[in-house]
Amino acid sequence: MTSAETRSRSGAALLRPAVALLGLLYLALGIAGFLTPGTPALGIFGVTALLNLVHAVVGVLGLLAATRRTGSIIYCWVVFTAFAGMTAYGVLAAAFGNPEDPIAINWADNVLHGLTAVAGLVLGIAGARATAPHPTKGTSA
């Protein structure tokens, strides 16, 4: 077994637990936001009913997606796309400071969402590479 095959298989083995951990993190953040209305969740993250709901749904979907490798890969790409968009929206919302913003994203949320988008991208690529067929020795690709 080559080192590339070993890396590919270890990446595939880590995909589902990483997705489950990401889902658990967001579910906990969503629940914490609902339990602490009016004060920042965990002391720094913005709290609105809509943002808490989004976090909780992302968490539940992550836990469900972690049950299958294909579901984990799809979840990673959806998370990458959605959180890249949320980060862009959050940067603009935080920079211009609209008090009527229904989501009330702050800079801590932007950092969290940006890191989540990067994690979704990295995990999505690793999962997709692990499922791609590898050429056998003696054949050309």
Side-chain angles (χ1 to χ4, degrees):
M1 183 180 304
T2 66
S3 63
E5 290 172 337
T6 304
R7 280 193 306 266
S8 176
R9 289 186 183 178
S10 65
L14 293 176
L15 176 65
R16 289 175 49 204
V19 167
L21 182 64
L22 189 63
L24 191 60
L25 170 82
Y26 270 95
L27 181 60
L29 184 59
I31 291 171
F34 282 122
L35 294 177
T36 59
T39 62
L42 304 177
I44 58 173
F45 297 111
V47 176
T48 64
L50 182 58
L51 189 57
N52 294 337
L53 183 64
V54 167
H55 286 165
V57 167
V58 166
V60 169
L61 291 176
L63 292 175
L64 292 173
T67 61
R68 297 202 176 266
R69 186 173 51 163
T70 305
S72 296
I73 294 169
I74 293 169
Y75 176 81
C76 289
W77 289 112
V78 169
V79 161
F80 164 65
T81 305
F83 279 96
M86 283 182 69
T87 302
Y89 171 81
V91 167
L92 291 173
F96 294 110
N98 183 0
E100 298 174 8
D101 182 19
I103 301 177
I105 293 178
N106 62 21
W107 286 108
D109 290 314
N110 290 336
V111 171
L112 176 68
H113 296 162
L115 291 175
T116 302
V118 170
L121 177 63
V122 170
L123 290 171
I125 290 171
R129 289 189 67 170
T131 60
H134 297 289
T136 59
K137 264 189 172 178
T139 62
S140 61

